[in-house]
Amino acid sequence: MFSCDVKMWSLQNLLFIICIALICVISTAAVIHVSGYEGRDVNVSCSYGEGYESYEKYLCRNDCGNSDVLVKTTEAKKNKYSIYDDKKRRVFTTTLSDLSSVDAGKYWCGVTRTGKDTYTEVRLEVEPDSCCDRSTNIQSYEGGSVSISCSYESEDQNNLKYICRGKQPSTCLQQALITSDNTQNAQFRLTDDKESRKFTVNITSLTQEDSGSYLCGVHRNTGLDVFSAAELEVKDPSHPAVFIVPAVLLLILIFALVMYKYKCYKVQGGGVNMNRNRTKAADAEEAMGGADIYENPEAATCSKKRSSRQQSTCHQNDDTGGDQQDSIYQNLVPTEDIYSTLFYSKGDK
Ligand SMILES: *[C@@H]1O[C@H](CO)[C@@H](O)[C@H](O)[C@H]1NC(C)=O
């Protein structure tokens, strides 16, 4: 008898534990998880038991007091909430429009009864409608082709893959350029390598218009789809801007160099004559200074361009040409000053 009692007691305990576990499982399974994008709509669908078809249903927040009821089937539209009761399927759906981050949190689906209402817990997540912080940069050329590679999780192996333009996850699937259900069209081809968990979208006949943002999407049956971003730049290899700007800069540089050398050469040419004259006129100076002194003023003529007098020498030389060498000599006469300053500076050293 005693052992039988113990057995009864433990059996009751066991049943009690099983009951608690079942309640736990049921209550966790009863939480409905819903996700939506900021600025978009989301549907919250709750099912109810047979016999409740004609009862009032509602969606509420917090403690579900009278002021916490957001919308009810007896008043089907209120603010950004609307509710629809599908009595055949015994599912009522509340649509929350223009979601914002403050809408995220806990809600309850309620059925009004005499006595205590029934409740189903709802958790709403709101995510920004833009993707992603990181993106892969890809470059190609007009007329060429490019491959965008998109990795995915092993759990998504058999899910729908797709790619779209832009950065908005909420509209990506409906605006998909190509999906794994329809893997080829005029410009796009999608190949899915399930072993390396990567799908690749090949884009051919690239034009400048193909430049921009792309989103790789993987469809999830529950929760929001998964995305990764790519940024494509299509370059024009024959675009003038690629060459013209550096080419013009180079030409200007070459022209400046040539002009500079040309001016120096002309002045040097005059200088040689002058030197010959000088050699006759000032033998004593030559004896003192040596040949390199005569070269120095020429160098000075070009290198001391900042001196206004020398600059005018250069310019006038340019304007007047070879047959007005007299004026050049006249201009160059003050070079005696240079000579003397050079001598002084030599003497200083
Ligand atoms: C919500 O449900 C309505 C009615 O079934 C449907 O037209 C709408 O597209 C749904 N919205 C979302 C975001 O799933």
Short mmCIF file of all heavy atoms in Angstrom, two decimals, residues 174-235:
data_model
loop_
_atom_site.label_atom_id
_atom_site.label_comp_id
_atom_site.label_asym_id
_atom_site.label_seq_id
_atom_site.Cartn_x
_atom_site.Cartn_y
_atom_site.Cartn_z
N GLN A 174 9.46 43.13 -54.74
CA GLN A 174 8.49 43.45 -55.78
C GLN A 174 9.13 44.18 -56.97
O GLN A 174 8.56 44.20 -58.05
CB GLN A 174 7.30 44.23 -55.22
CG GLN A 174 7.60 45.66 -54.81
CD GLN A 174 6.51 46.24 -53.93
OE1 GLN A 174 6.27 45.79 -52.82
NE2 GLN A 174 5.82 47.26 -54.43
N GLN A 175 10.32 44.76 -56.75
CA GLN A 175 11.02 45.44 -57.85
C GLN A 175 12.25 44.67 -58.30
O GLN A 175 13.17 45.24 -58.90
CB GLN A 175 11.43 46.85 -57.41
CG GLN A 175 10.24 47.76 -57.17
CD GLN A 175 10.62 49.11 -56.60
OE1 GLN A 175 11.79 49.41 -56.39
NE2 GLN A 175 9.61 49.94 -56.35
N ALA A 176 12.29 43.38 -57.99
CA ALA A 176 13.48 42.58 -58.29
C ALA A 176 13.79 42.58 -59.78
O ALA A 176 12.90 42.48 -60.62
CB ALA A 176 13.29 41.17 -57.78
N LEU A 177 15.09 42.70 -60.09
CA LEU A 177 15.54 42.66 -61.48
C LEU A 177 15.54 41.22 -61.97
O LEU A 177 15.28 40.94 -63.14
CB LEU A 177 16.96 43.22 -61.57
CG LEU A 177 17.15 44.66 -61.10
CD1 LEU A 177 18.62 44.95 -60.83
CD2 LEU A 177 16.60 45.62 -62.14
N ILE A 178 15.85 40.32 -61.04
CA ILE A 178 15.90 38.90 -61.36
C ILE A 178 15.79 38.12 -60.06
O ILE A 178 16.22 38.58 -59.02
CB ILE A 178 17.21 38.57 -62.13
CG1 ILE A 178 17.16 37.17 -62.74
CG2 ILE A 178 18.44 38.72 -61.26
CD1 ILE A 178 17.34 37.17 -64.21
N THR A 179 15.16 36.94 -60.11
CA THR A 179 15.05 36.11 -58.90
C THR A 179 15.52 34.69 -59.23
O THR A 179 15.68 34.35 -60.40
CB THR A 179 13.59 36.02 -58.40
OG1 THR A 179 12.86 35.19 -59.30
CG2 THR A 179 12.94 37.39 -58.31
N SER A 180 15.73 33.90 -58.20
CA SER A 180 16.16 32.51 -58.42
C SER A 180 15.02 31.67 -58.99
O SER A 180 15.23 30.52 -59.38
CB SER A 180 16.69 31.91 -57.11
OG SER A 180 15.74 32.06 -56.08
N ASP A 181 13.81 32.22 -59.08
CA ASP A 181 12.71 31.52 -59.75
C ASP A 181 12.72 31.77 -61.25
O ASP A 181 12.12 31.03 -62.02
CB ASP A 181 11.35 32.01 -59.19
CG ASP A 181 11.01 31.33 -57.89
OD1 ASP A 181 11.72 30.37 -57.51
OD2 ASP A 181 10.05 31.78 -57.24
N ASN A 182 13.38 32.84 -61.64
CA ASN A 182 13.41 33.23 -63.05
C ASN A 182 14.81 33.75 -63.32
O ASN A 182 15.08 34.94 -63.23
CB ASN A 182 12.34 34.31 -63.31
CG ASN A 182 12.36 34.80 -64.73
OD1 ASN A 182 12.82 34.09 -65.62
ND2 ASN A 182 11.88 36.01 -64.94
N THR A 183 15.74 32.81 -63.60
CA THR A 183 17.17 33.10 -63.45
C THR A 183 17.80 33.82 -64.63
O THR A 183 18.97 34.15 -64.58
CB THR A 183 17.96 31.80 -63.20
OG1 THR A 183 17.66 30.89 -64.26
CG2 THR A 183 17.57 31.18 -61.88
N GLN A 184 17.04 34.06 -65.71
CA GLN A 184 17.68 34.71 -66.85
C GLN A 184 16.72 35.66 -67.55
O GLN A 184 15.57 35.32 -67.80
CB GLN A 184 18.17 33.65 -67.85
CG GLN A 184 18.74 34.22 -69.13
CD GLN A 184 20.19 33.87 -69.33
OE1 GLN A 184 20.61 32.77 -69.03
NE2 GLN A 184 20.97 34.81 -69.84
N ASN A 185 17.20 36.86 -67.84
CA ASN A 185 16.48 37.74 -68.76
C ASN A 185 17.50 38.49 -69.61
O ASN A 185 18.68 38.13 -69.60
CB ASN A 185 15.50 38.65 -68.03
CG ASN A 185 16.16 39.59 -67.06
OD1 ASN A 185 17.31 39.98 -67.24
ND2 ASN A 185 15.45 39.95 -66.00
N ALA A 186 17.08 39.51 -70.32
CA ALA A 186 17.95 40.14 -71.32
C ALA A 186 19.32 40.52 -70.77
O ALA A 186 20.34 40.23 -71.38
CB ALA A 186 17.24 41.37 -71.89
N GLN A 187 19.34 41.16 -69.61
CA GLN A 187 20.60 41.71 -69.13
C GLN A 187 21.16 40.99 -67.89
O GLN A 187 22.33 41.12 -67.58
CB GLN A 187 20.40 43.21 -68.81
CG GLN A 187 21.66 44.03 -68.95
CD GLN A 187 21.52 45.41 -68.34
OE1 GLN A 187 20.44 45.84 -67.96
NE2 GLN A 187 22.63 46.12 -68.24
N PHE A 188 20.28 40.24 -67.21
CA PHE A 188 20.68 39.67 -65.93
C PHE A 188 20.61 38.14 -65.93
O PHE A 188 19.74 37.55 -66.59
CB PHE A 188 19.77 40.20 -64.81
CG PHE A 188 19.79 41.69 -64.69
CD1 PHE A 188 18.86 42.47 -65.38
CD2 PHE A 188 20.73 42.33 -63.90
CE1 PHE A 188 18.88 43.84 -65.29
CE2 PHE A 188 20.75 43.72 -63.80
CZ PHE A 188 19.82 44.47 -64.49
N ARG A 189 21.54 37.54 -65.19
CA ARG A 189 21.51 36.09 -65.03
C ARG A 189 21.87 35.79 -63.57
O ARG A 189 22.83 36.36 -63.04
CB ARG A 189 22.51 35.42 -65.96
CG ARG A 189 22.31 33.92 -66.10
CD ARG A 189 23.02 33.41 -67.34
NE ARG A 189 24.46 33.73 -67.29
CZ ARG A 189 25.38 32.94 -66.76
NH1 ARG A 189 25.03 31.77 -66.25
NH2 ARG A 189 26.64 33.30 -66.76
N LEU A 190 21.08 34.92 -62.95
CA LEU A 190 21.33 34.59 -61.55
C LEU A 190 21.72 33.12 -61.44
O LEU A 190 21.02 32.25 -61.95
CB LEU A 190 20.08 34.87 -60.71
CG LEU A 190 20.20 34.83 -59.19
CD1 LEU A 190 19.21 35.78 -58.55
CD2 LEU A 190 20.00 33.44 -58.62
N THR A 191 22.87 32.87 -60.81
CA THR A 191 23.29 31.49 -60.56
C THR A 191 23.47 31.32 -59.07
O THR A 191 24.03 32.19 -58.39
CB THR A 191 24.61 31.17 -61.28
OG1 THR A 191 25.54 32.22 -61.05
CG2 THR A 191 24.40 31.00 -62.78
N ASP A 192 22.97 30.20 -58.55
CA ASP A 192 23.02 29.95 -57.11
C ASP A 192 23.94 28.77 -56.84
O ASP A 192 23.67 27.66 -57.28
CB ASP A 192 21.59 29.66 -56.60
CG ASP A 192 21.54 29.61 -55.09
OD1 ASP A 192 22.59 29.79 -54.44
OD2 ASP A 192 20.43 29.37 -54.55
N ASP A 193 25.03 29.02 -56.14
CA ASP A 193 25.95 27.96 -55.75
C ASP A 193 25.66 27.60 -54.30
O ASP A 193 26.16 28.24 -53.38
CB ASP A 193 27.40 28.43 -55.91
CG ASP A 193 28.40 27.34 -55.60
OD1 ASP A 193 27.96 26.24 -55.16
OD2 ASP A 193 29.60 27.56 -55.80
N LYS A 194 24.80 26.57 -54.12
CA LYS A 194 24.33 26.24 -52.78
C LYS A 194 25.44 25.68 -51.90
O LYS A 194 25.37 25.77 -50.67
CB LYS A 194 23.17 25.25 -52.87
CG LYS A 194 21.94 25.92 -53.48
CD LYS A 194 20.70 25.06 -53.44
CE LYS A 194 19.54 25.87 -54.01
NZ LYS A 194 18.28 25.15 -54.00
N GLU A 195 26.46 25.09 -52.53
CA GLU A 195 27.54 24.51 -51.75
C GLU A 195 28.37 25.60 -51.05
O GLU A 195 28.67 25.48 -49.87
CB GLU A 195 28.45 23.68 -52.65
CG GLU A 195 28.73 22.31 -52.06
CD GLU A 195 28.85 21.26 -53.13
OE1 GLU A 195 29.87 21.27 -53.83
OE2 GLU A 195 27.91 20.46 -53.27
N SER A 196 28.70 26.65 -51.80
CA SER A 196 29.47 27.73 -51.18
C SER A 196 28.55 28.82 -50.63
O SER A 196 29.03 29.88 -50.22
CB SER A 196 30.48 28.31 -52.17
OG SER A 196 29.79 28.83 -53.30
N ARG A 197 27.23 28.55 -50.63
CA ARG A 197 26.22 29.47 -50.09
C ARG A 197 26.42 30.88 -50.64
O ARG A 197 26.63 31.84 -49.90
CB ARG A 197 26.27 29.47 -48.56
CG ARG A 197 25.99 28.11 -47.95
CD ARG A 197 25.70 28.21 -46.48
NE ARG A 197 26.70 29.01 -45.79
CZ ARG A 197 27.87 28.57 -45.35
NH1 ARG A 197 28.18 27.30 -45.52
NH2 ARG A 197 28.71 29.36 -44.75
N LYS A 198 26.38 30.95 -51.95
CA LYS A 198 26.63 32.22 -52.62
C LYS A 198 25.83 32.24 -53.91
O LYS A 198 25.84 31.27 -54.65
CB LYS A 198 28.12 32.31 -52.95
CG LYS A 198 28.64 33.71 -53.04
CD LYS A 198 30.13 33.74 -52.81
CE LYS A 198 30.91 33.37 -54.06
NZ LYS A 198 32.37 33.47 -53.84
N PHE A 199 25.11 33.32 -54.14
CA PHE A 199 24.50 33.45 -55.47
C PHE A 199 25.12 34.64 -56.19
O PHE A 199 25.54 35.61 -55.57
CB PHE A 199 22.97 33.51 -55.40
CG PHE A 199 22.37 34.76 -54.85
CD1 PHE A 199 21.92 35.77 -55.69
CD2 PHE A 199 22.20 34.93 -53.49
CE1 PHE A 199 21.33 36.93 -55.19
CE2 PHE A 199 21.62 36.08 -52.97
CZ PHE A 199 21.18 37.08 -53.82
N THR A 200 25.22 34.48 -57.51
CA THR A 200 25.92 35.47 -58.31
C THR A 200 24.99 36.01 -59.39
O THR A 200 24.32 35.24 -60.06
CB THR A 200 27.17 34.85 -58.96
OG1 THR A 200 27.98 34.29 -57.92
CG2 THR A 200 27.97 35.88 -59.73
N VAL A 201 24.95 37.33 -59.49
CA VAL A 201 24.15 37.95 -60.54
C VAL A 201 25.10 38.56 -61.56
O VAL A 201 25.94 39.40 -61.21
CB VAL A 201 23.20 39.02 -59.97
CG1 VAL A 201 22.45 39.73 -61.08
CG2 VAL A 201 22.23 38.40 -58.98
N ASN A 202 24.97 38.08 -62.80
CA ASN A 202 25.81 38.58 -63.87
C ASN A 202 25.02 39.63 -64.67
O ASN A 202 23.91 39.35 -65.10
CB ASN A 202 26.24 37.41 -64.75
CG ASN A 202 27.42 37.77 -65.61
OD1 ASN A 202 27.24 38.20 -66.75
ND2 ASN A 202 28.61 37.63 -65.07
N ILE A 203 25.61 40.79 -64.83
CA ILE A 203 24.96 41.87 -65.59
C ILE A 203 25.81 42.12 -66.84
O ILE A 203 27.01 42.38 -66.73
CB ILE A 203 24.84 43.17 -64.78
CG1 ILE A 203 24.29 42.88 -63.37
CG2 ILE A 203 23.95 44.18 -65.50
CD1 ILE A 203 24.28 44.10 -62.46
N THR A 204 25.19 42.02 -68.01
CA THR A 204 25.92 42.23 -69.26
C THR A 204 25.49 43.55 -69.91
O THR A 204 24.55 44.20 -69.45
CB THR A 204 25.66 41.07 -70.23
OG1 THR A 204 24.25 40.92 -70.38
CG2 THR A 204 26.25 39.77 -69.71
N SER A 205 26.18 43.91 -71.00
CA SER A 205 25.88 45.13 -71.77
C SER A 205 25.73 46.34 -70.86
O SER A 205 24.74 47.07 -70.93
CB SER A 205 24.61 44.97 -72.60
OG SER A 205 24.56 43.70 -73.19
N LEU A 206 26.72 46.56 -70.03
CA LEU A 206 26.65 47.64 -69.04
C LEU A 206 26.59 49.01 -69.71
O LEU A 206 27.26 49.25 -70.71
CB LEU A 206 27.85 47.59 -68.11
CG LEU A 206 27.87 46.46 -67.08
CD1 LEU A 206 29.22 46.38 -66.41
CD2 LEU A 206 26.77 46.64 -66.06
N THR A 207 25.78 49.89 -69.14
CA THR A 207 25.77 51.30 -69.54
C THR A 207 25.92 52.13 -68.27
O THR A 207 25.85 51.60 -67.16
CB THR A 207 24.46 51.70 -70.24
OG1 THR A 207 23.39 51.62 -69.29
CG2 THR A 207 24.15 50.79 -71.43
N GLN A 208 26.10 53.46 -68.47
CA GLN A 208 26.23 54.35 -67.32
C GLN A 208 25.03 54.25 -66.38
O GLN A 208 25.16 54.40 -65.18
CB GLN A 208 26.35 55.79 -67.81
CG GLN A 208 27.54 56.07 -68.68
CD GLN A 208 28.80 56.26 -67.87
OE1 GLN A 208 28.80 57.04 -66.92
NE2 GLN A 208 29.85 55.57 -68.21
N GLU A 209 23.86 53.97 -66.96
CA GLU A 209 22.63 53.92 -66.15
C GLU A 209 22.65 52.74 -65.17
O GLU A 209 21.88 52.73 -64.22
CB GLU A 209 21.39 53.79 -67.05
CG GLU A 209 20.91 55.11 -67.63
CD GLU A 209 21.57 55.43 -68.96
OE1 GLU A 209 21.26 54.72 -69.93
OE2 GLU A 209 22.40 56.34 -69.00
N ASP A 210 23.52 51.77 -65.41
CA ASP A 210 23.58 50.63 -64.49
C ASP A 210 24.38 50.96 -63.23
O ASP A 210 24.38 50.19 -62.28
CB ASP A 210 24.20 49.42 -65.20
CG ASP A 210 23.33 48.94 -66.35
OD1 ASP A 210 22.10 48.88 -66.16
OD2 ASP A 210 23.87 48.65 -67.43
N SER A 211 25.06 52.12 -63.23
CA SER A 211 25.79 52.55 -62.04
C SER A 211 24.81 52.81 -60.90
O SER A 211 23.71 53.28 -61.13
CB SER A 211 26.57 53.83 -62.31
OG SER A 211 27.61 53.59 -63.20
N GLY A 212 25.26 52.49 -59.70
CA GLY A 212 24.43 52.79 -58.53
C GLY A 212 24.38 51.66 -57.53
O GLY A 212 25.19 50.73 -57.57
N SER A 213 23.39 51.74 -56.64
CA SER A 213 23.27 50.78 -55.54
C SER A 213 22.42 49.59 -55.93
O SER A 213 21.43 49.73 -56.65
CB SER A 213 22.63 51.46 -54.32
OG SER A 213 23.36 52.60 -53.97
N TYR A 214 22.81 48.43 -55.42
CA TYR A 214 22.06 47.19 -55.61
C TYR A 214 21.90 46.51 -54.26
O TYR A 214 22.75 46.64 -53.40
CB TYR A 214 22.80 46.25 -56.57
CG TYR A 214 22.79 46.73 -58.01
CD1 TYR A 214 23.69 47.70 -58.44
CD2 TYR A 214 21.90 46.21 -58.92
CE1 TYR A 214 23.68 48.16 -59.75
CE2 TYR A 214 21.88 46.64 -60.24
CZ TYR A 214 22.77 47.62 -60.65
OH TYR A 214 22.76 48.05 -61.94
N LEU A 215 20.80 45.77 -54.13
CA LEU A 215 20.60 44.97 -52.92
C LEU A 215 20.43 43.52 -53.31
O LEU A 215 19.64 43.18 -54.19
CB LEU A 215 19.35 45.42 -52.15
CG LEU A 215 19.43 46.64 -51.26
CD1 LEU A 215 18.13 46.81 -50.49
CD2 LEU A 215 20.60 46.57 -50.29
N CYS A 216 21.20 42.66 -52.64
CA CYS A 216 21.01 41.21 -52.75
C CYS A 216 19.99 40.84 -51.68
O CYS A 216 20.19 41.19 -50.51
CB CYS A 216 22.29 40.47 -52.44
SG CYS A 216 23.66 40.82 -53.54
N GLY A 217 18.94 40.14 -52.05
CA GLY A 217 17.93 39.77 -51.07
C GLY A 217 17.74 38.26 -50.97
O GLY A 217 17.86 37.55 -51.97
N VAL A 218 17.49 37.81 -49.75
CA VAL A 218 17.14 36.40 -49.53
C VAL A 218 15.81 36.40 -48.79
O VAL A 218 15.67 37.04 -47.74
CB VAL A 218 18.22 35.67 -48.71
CG1 VAL A 218 17.81 34.23 -48.47
CG2 VAL A 218 19.57 35.74 -49.40
N HIS A 219 14.84 35.70 -49.35
CA HIS A 219 13.50 35.71 -48.77
C HIS A 219 13.42 34.80 -47.56
O HIS A 219 13.92 33.68 -47.57
CB HIS A 219 12.47 35.28 -49.81
CG HIS A 219 11.06 35.40 -49.34
ND1 HIS A 219 10.50 36.62 -48.99
CD2 HIS A 219 10.11 34.46 -49.12
CE1 HIS A 219 9.25 36.41 -48.59
NE2 HIS A 219 9.00 35.12 -48.65
N ARG A 220 12.80 35.30 -46.52
CA ARG A 220 12.55 34.50 -45.31
C ARG A 220 11.04 34.35 -45.17
O ARG A 220 10.30 35.32 -45.36
CB ARG A 220 13.11 35.21 -44.08
CG ARG A 220 14.61 35.20 -43.99
CD ARG A 220 15.08 34.06 -43.12
NE ARG A 220 16.53 33.88 -43.14
CZ ARG A 220 17.37 34.41 -42.26
NH1 ARG A 220 16.91 35.18 -41.30
NH2 ARG A 220 18.65 34.16 -42.32
N ASN A 221 10.60 33.16 -44.82
CA ASN A 221 9.17 32.92 -44.67
C ASN A 221 8.63 33.57 -43.40
O ASN A 221 7.47 34.00 -43.35
CB ASN A 221 8.88 31.43 -44.68
CG ASN A 221 9.18 30.82 -46.05
OD1 ASN A 221 8.84 31.42 -47.08
ND2 ASN A 221 9.83 29.68 -46.06
N THR A 222 9.46 33.65 -42.38
CA THR A 222 9.06 34.39 -41.18
C THR A 222 10.07 35.51 -40.97
O THR A 222 11.27 35.33 -41.18
CB THR A 222 9.06 33.48 -39.94
OG1 THR A 222 10.35 32.88 -39.82
CG2 THR A 222 8.01 32.40 -40.04
N GLY A 223 9.57 36.63 -40.57
CA GLY A 223 10.43 37.78 -40.34
C GLY A 223 10.83 38.45 -41.64
O GLY A 223 10.34 38.09 -42.72
N LEU A 224 11.70 39.44 -41.53
CA LEU A 224 12.08 40.23 -42.70
C LEU A 224 13.13 39.48 -43.52
O LEU A 224 13.89 38.67 -43.00
CB LEU A 224 12.65 41.57 -42.24
CG LEU A 224 11.68 42.46 -41.45
CD1 LEU A 224 12.40 43.69 -40.91
CD2 LEU A 224 10.49 42.87 -42.32
N ASP A 225 13.16 39.80 -44.81
CA ASP A 225 14.16 39.21 -45.70
C ASP A 225 15.55 39.71 -45.31
O ASP A 225 15.69 40.73 -44.62
CB ASP A 225 13.85 39.58 -47.15
CG ASP A 225 12.59 38.86 -47.65
OD1 ASP A 225 11.97 38.14 -46.84
OD2 ASP A 225 12.25 39.03 -48.83
N VAL A 226 16.57 39.00 -45.78
CA VAL A 226 17.95 39.34 -45.42
C VAL A 226 18.62 40.00 -46.63
O VAL A 226 18.45 39.54 -47.76
CB VAL A 226 18.72 38.06 -45.02
CG1 VAL A 226 20.09 38.42 -44.48
CG2 VAL A 226 17.94 37.29 -43.97
N PHE A 227 19.37 41.07 -46.35
CA PHE A 227 19.95 41.83 -47.46
C PHE A 227 21.44 42.08 -47.29
O PHE A 227 21.95 42.14 -46.18
CB PHE A 227 19.24 43.19 -47.58
CG PHE A 227 17.80 43.06 -47.98
CD1 PHE A 227 16.81 43.03 -46.99
CD2 PHE A 227 17.44 42.95 -49.29
CE1 PHE A 227 15.49 42.89 -47.34
CE2 PHE A 227 16.11 42.82 -49.66
CZ PHE A 227 15.13 42.79 -48.67
N SER A 228 22.11 42.25 -48.44
CA SER A 228 23.48 42.78 -48.45
C SER A 228 23.55 43.75 -49.63
O SER A 228 22.79 43.64 -50.59
CB SER A 228 24.50 41.65 -48.58
OG SER A 228 24.27 40.90 -49.74
N ALA A 229 24.46 44.72 -49.53
CA ALA A 229 24.47 45.81 -50.50
C ALA A 229 25.73 45.79 -51.37
O ALA A 229 26.79 45.36 -50.94
CB ALA A 229 24.37 47.15 -49.78
N ALA A 230 25.57 46.26 -52.60
CA ALA A 230 26.70 46.42 -53.52
C ALA A 230 26.56 47.76 -54.24
O ALA A 230 25.45 48.23 -54.48
CB ALA A 230 26.74 45.28 -54.52
N GLU A 231 27.70 48.36 -54.54
CA GLU A 231 27.72 49.65 -55.23
C GLU A 231 28.48 49.46 -56.54
O GLU A 231 29.65 49.10 -56.52
CB GLU A 231 28.41 50.68 -54.33
CG GLU A 231 28.19 52.12 -54.70
CD GLU A 231 26.79 52.62 -54.41
OE1 GLU A 231 26.15 52.10 -53.47
OE2 GLU A 231 26.33 53.52 -55.13
N LEU A 232 27.78 49.67 -57.64
CA LEU A 232 28.40 49.44 -58.96
C LEU A 232 28.74 50.77 -59.63
O LEU A 232 27.91 51.68 -59.68
CB LEU A 232 27.47 48.62 -59.85
CG LEU A 232 27.89 48.44 -61.31
CD1 LEU A 232 29.20 47.66 -61.41
CD2 LEU A 232 26.80 47.73 -62.10
N GLU A 233 29.96 50.85 -60.14
CA GLU A 233 30.36 52.03 -60.91
C GLU A 233 30.74 51.58 -62.31
O GLU A 233 31.67 50.79 -62.49
CB GLU A 233 31.55 52.72 -60.23
CG GLU A 233 31.88 54.05 -60.89
CD GLU A 233 33.20 54.62 -60.41
OE1 GLU A 233 33.78 54.07 -59.45
OE2 GLU A 233 33.68 55.59 -61.00
N VAL A 234 29.99 52.07 -63.29
CA VAL A 234 30.28 51.74 -64.69
C VAL A 234 31.04 52.92 -65.29
O VAL A 234 30.52 54.03 -65.37
CB VAL A 234 29.00 51.46 -65.49
CG1 VAL A 234 29.33 51.13 -66.93
CG2 VAL A 234 28.22 50.32 -64.86
N LYS A 235 32.28 52.66 -65.69
CA LYS A 235 33.12 53.74 -66.23
C LYS A 235 33.08 53.72 -67.74
O LYS A 235 32.92 52.67 -68.35
CB LYS A 235 34.56 53.52 -65.77
CG LYS A 235 34.76 53.74 -64.29
CD LYS A 235 36.20 53.48 -63.94
CE LYS A 235 36.50 53.87 -62.51
NZ LYS A 235 37.90 53.60 -62.18
#
